[in-house]
Amino acid sequence: MSGALRLQGQGNGSQGYAIGPAHVPSEPRSPIEGGASPSLEFDLLRSAIEEAVSALKDLMVRTDPPSSDILEFQVEMLRDPVIGDMAAEYIGEGQNAALAWVTALEEYIAGFELSEDDDIRARAVDVIDIRDRVLRILEGRPPANFPRGAVFAGRDMAPSLFLAHDWSGGGGIALAAGSTASHVALLARAKGVPMVVGLGGPAIEPEAPVLVDGGTGLVVVHPSGADIAMAAMGEKPTPGIPARFELPSADRPAGRLEILVNISDIAEIHSLDSNVCDGIGLLRTEFLLSAAADLANEEKQFQLYVEMLDWAAGKPVTIRLFDLGGDKPLGGFGVEERNPFLGLRGIRLLLAMPAMLRIQVRALLRAAALGPLKVLLPMVTFPGEVDQTRRIFEDEAASLVQRHIDVGVPDIGVMVEVPAAAIMLDTFESSDFFSLGTNDLAQYLTACARDNASVANLYGQANPVLLRLIAQTVRIAHDMDKPIGICGDLAGNPALLPSLIASGIRQISVAPSQLPAVKAVLAQARMEG
Ligand code: PEP
Ligand code: MG
């Protein structure tokens, strides 16, 4: 007898297994991490400013007099009580330290940049420099983490913790609760991290060796050699990705099926050749940020978007605005809600906190000058939200142009993931294109939270209702003469592809890990057609 404890849950579909010592978080974690309090955010900002001041003072003693004057000016700016008071006010309104700091400095910077006087205009760069110096300090806050190679054995896991962890040393996830439709499951699938959800009890003891099989959903505590050999036998080799294929001719009245990829992690593009797809159909920007301070970092966001455009080499890159809220809070930001999936999420949160939106809009407008970039709005319910967002794009474009900065005009499209928007699609004339977000559409249609294991069975039965609504939505979009595609996980289910194609879908966007199976099925269909 090995003394092994076998627990059966649901695998997240990642091929393969992991073995490692259990890391049991000391507090049962909720997937929803509350933001830090305003007083903590204010303390963070104050200490970041003090750190910046002392770094500048150190520099002053080591530089020549002209440079020292510039540094002196920067110290004065950092100590300006007006800026401090403004930042405190923004923190009081619910912004995190970084966003409040950048917002407070924004007007100053624009004031310098727009001045007629050359000397004053030249000072803008000094203010930008202190803005970024404080931002960098705020970004340096170490994220919560656990040892490399361990199996995270908690109740649930926040996406931000998954993203902060270094998975290069292996390891897996075994959750008492959770769901395979949650965002953390989606990230784990994309990264190939074995994960099992819905294990219930009993609790796994800390440091116990644990085997997690992401394919079968089996978790074994204290596994025997035979258990490990069994898991290894179940591993399937990953098929290669054929570069291109055409739809079978009978299914091809409106041309070929475009297959794009969903990107949630910059590492995904590093291991994928852009020739195997038709571009990026969904960039989940909220997952590219490593710290809450990145929300305020226009330059960092701009660089990331340019990297995506470079990778896509002329193919379209569809970038979704931050879809925060729900199960994706970013530490120290936003408000805590009782029903976060039904609250300030996606575009609702952005419009409620426009300072954050404006920073991302500027980064997008600048990147759009460099390639075919499209913008996708998450969690839209009514057309007014598109109009409001469009006005912010127009506003920011005008002020960038005034500052002689190149901008592009991106198409703006709607994620169709709230039933009200799907049913009333014909009222969205102001949207340039549509993308069906079936992961959320399923949760709102079935009234089952996508991260709740106890209703996962009902959530999993959503396909027929989704397919009926998709057919209806695609018809409306075609009548409006607007492009429509699918970027939810449903598009990566090869068994459903014929139904999607029959309803008129000609564009799908799937996780890179789903590409081989989707392409294989279509190639097969072609052979038989
Ligand atoms: C969706 O909701 O279907 C979607 C693609 O977006 P996310 O999974 O990030 O919510
Ligand atoms: Mg969604």
Side-chain angles (χ1 to χ4, degrees):
M1 271 305 287
S2 65
L5 170 64
R6 315 171 80 78
L7 305 167
Q8 186 62 51
Q10 249 189 303
N12 73 331
S14 291
Q15 287 304 325
Y17 66 97
I19 305 174
H23 170 79
V24 182
S26 49
E27 304 242 318
R29 284 185 87 93
S30 149
I32 309 301
E33 284 174 355
S37 69
S39 67
L40 180 58
E41 288 296 308
F42 189 68
D43 287 348
L44 280 170
L45 179 57
R46 204 172 31 206
S47 74
I49 292 175
E50 275 319 308
E51 200 176 319
V53 166
S54 77
L56 289 171
K57 287 194 155 172
D58 277 356
L59 273 178
M60 270 158 78
V61 291
R62 287 186 272 127
T63 50
D64 51 63
S67 310
S68 173
D69 284 352
I70 296 170
L71 299 173
E72 179 77 54
F73 164 77
Q74 291 189 317
V75 168
E76 265 172 44
M77 289 294 296
L78 282 170
R79 292 216 158 130
D80 185 341
V82 178
I83 299 179
D85 288 351
M86 270 164 73
E89 210 177 304
Y90 292 130
I91 287 174
E93 288 169 11
Q95 295 191 10
N96 67 13
L99 205 54
W101 170 246
V102 169
T103 314
L105 277 181
E106 209 148 87
E107 275 178 42
Y108 268 79
I109 294 168
F112 281 103
E113 282 181 337
L114 292 172
S115 169
E116 298 287 317
D117 182 321
D118 284 352
D119 289 340
I120 297 182
R121 235 184 9 259
R123 293 245 113 155
V125 74
D126 301 330
V127 187
I128 290 172
D129 186 41
I130 56 165
R131 179 196 67 189
D132 294 347
R133 182 180 283 276
V134 173
L135 257 189
R136 278 196 298 277
I137 296 167
L138 288 168
E139 274 166 12
R141 278 185 281 162
N145 211 338
F146 56 96
R148 280 172 87 227
V151 169
F152 182 91
R155 200 184 134 63
D156 209 333
M157 185 180 206
S160 56
L161 180 58
F162 179 92
L163 290 163
H165 186 65
D166 175 2
W167 293 100
S168 63
I173 304 168
L175 300 181
S179 145
T180 56
S182 69
H183 280 101
V184 72
L186 189 144
L187 289 170
R189 254 194 307 280
K191 227 184 177 55
V193 174
M195 173 179 184
V196 174
V197 302
L199 290 168
I204 298 173
E205 81 212 59
E207 302 300 328
V210 179
L211 179 149
V212 180
D213 189 327
T216 61
L218 181 69
V219 168
V220 188
V221 188
H222 296 290
S224 64
D227 289 322
I228 296 167
M230 195 76 145
M233 256 166 42
E235 277 203 300
K236 294 191 199 104
T238 314
I241 306 172
R244 267 179 194 279
F245 62 89
E246 300 257 311
L247 274 182
S249 51
D251 286 329
R252 212 173 26 165
R256 65 186 281 275
L257 182 74
E258 286 181 339
I259 305 187
L260 298 92
V261 285
N262 294 345
I263 299 294
S264 307
D265 182 346
I266 195 87
E268 287 173 307
I269 63 163
H270 295 155
S271 53
L272 189 70
D273 181 341
S274 62
N275 282 320
V276 301
C277 66
D278 293 302
I280 296 178
L282 170 66
L283 178 69
R284 290 184 167 95
T285 53
E286 63 281 359
F287 288 143
L288 302 185
L289 309 178
S290 41
D294 291 346
L295 289 170
N297 197 332
E298 179 185 323
E299 201 49 39
K300 185 164 181 177
Q301 293 174 31
F302 168 72
Q303 295 298 346
L304 280 167
Y305 307 153
V306 172
E307 192 172 343
M308 297 292 159
L309 288 167
D310 285 348
W311 175 83
K315 291 175 182 164
V317 173
T318 308
I319 300 185
R320 183 171 70 185
L321 296 181
F322 297 131
D323 184 18
L324 294 164
D327 61 347
K328 292 185 287 190
L330 210 59
F333 181 77
V335 282
E336 230 176 300
E337 297 178 297
R338 224 145 60 106
N339 281 319
F341 276 123
L342 300 180
L344 272 185
R345 209 195 137 187
I347 198 68
R348 303 171 182 181
L349 179 65
L350 295 171
L351 290 172
M353 304 202 157
M356 172 172 68
L357 173 57
R358 286 180 181 275
I359 291 167
Q360 189 176 26
V361 164
R362 286 197 293 276
L364 287 165
L365 287 165
R366 288 169 56 205
L370 304 172
L373 184 154
K374 300 186 197 179
V375 174
L376 199 48
L377 314 191
M379 203 50 198
V380 170
T381 314
F382 294 116
E385 293 162 313
V386 183
D387 302 335
Q388 254 180 291
T389 312
R390 215 178 254 290
R391 277 197 293 277
I392 290 177
F393 268 85
E394 286 162 4
D395 243 36
E396 289 300 329
S399 70
L400 286 171
V401 167
Q402 210 182 6
R403 289 156 63 190
H404 309 286
I405 296 171
D406 286 345
V407 299
V409 183
D411 277 356
I412 296 181
V414 163
M415 284 282 291
V416 183
E417 52 186 349
V418 176
I423 292 166
M424 303 292 284
L425 202 76
D426 54 316
T427 62
F428 283 87
E429 262 310 327
S430 53
S431 179
D432 295 318
F433 66 98
F434 301 111
S435 187
L436 286 148
T438 49
N439 306 338
D440 277 310
L441 202 48
Q443 81 163 336
Y444 296 123
L445 285 171
T446 58
C448 294
R450 61 194 275 184
D451 63 349
N452 187 338
S454 32
V455 288
N457 176 37
L458 290 175
Y459 179 97
Q461 295 177 51
N463 286 350
V465 65
L466 280 171
L467 289 172
R468 186 177 289 188
L469 188 56
I470 288 168
Q472 204 172 307
T473 317
V474 170
R475 264 199 305 277
I476 304 176
H478 286 173
D479 287 348
M480 296 169 83
D481 213 12
K482 290 187 190 276
I484 184 163
I486 300 194
C487 62
D489 266 17
L490 186 97
N493 181 342
L496 297 179
L497 270 177
S499 306
L500 294 180
I501 291 166
S503 38
I505 285 287
R506 289 293 176 272
Q507 188 192 85
I508 61 171
S509 189
V510 301
S513 57
Q514 292 171 320
L515 270 178
V518 166
K519 289 202 166 195
V521 145
L522 286 162
Q524 175 86 8
R526 188 184 179 204
M527 270 183 259
E528 288 165 1

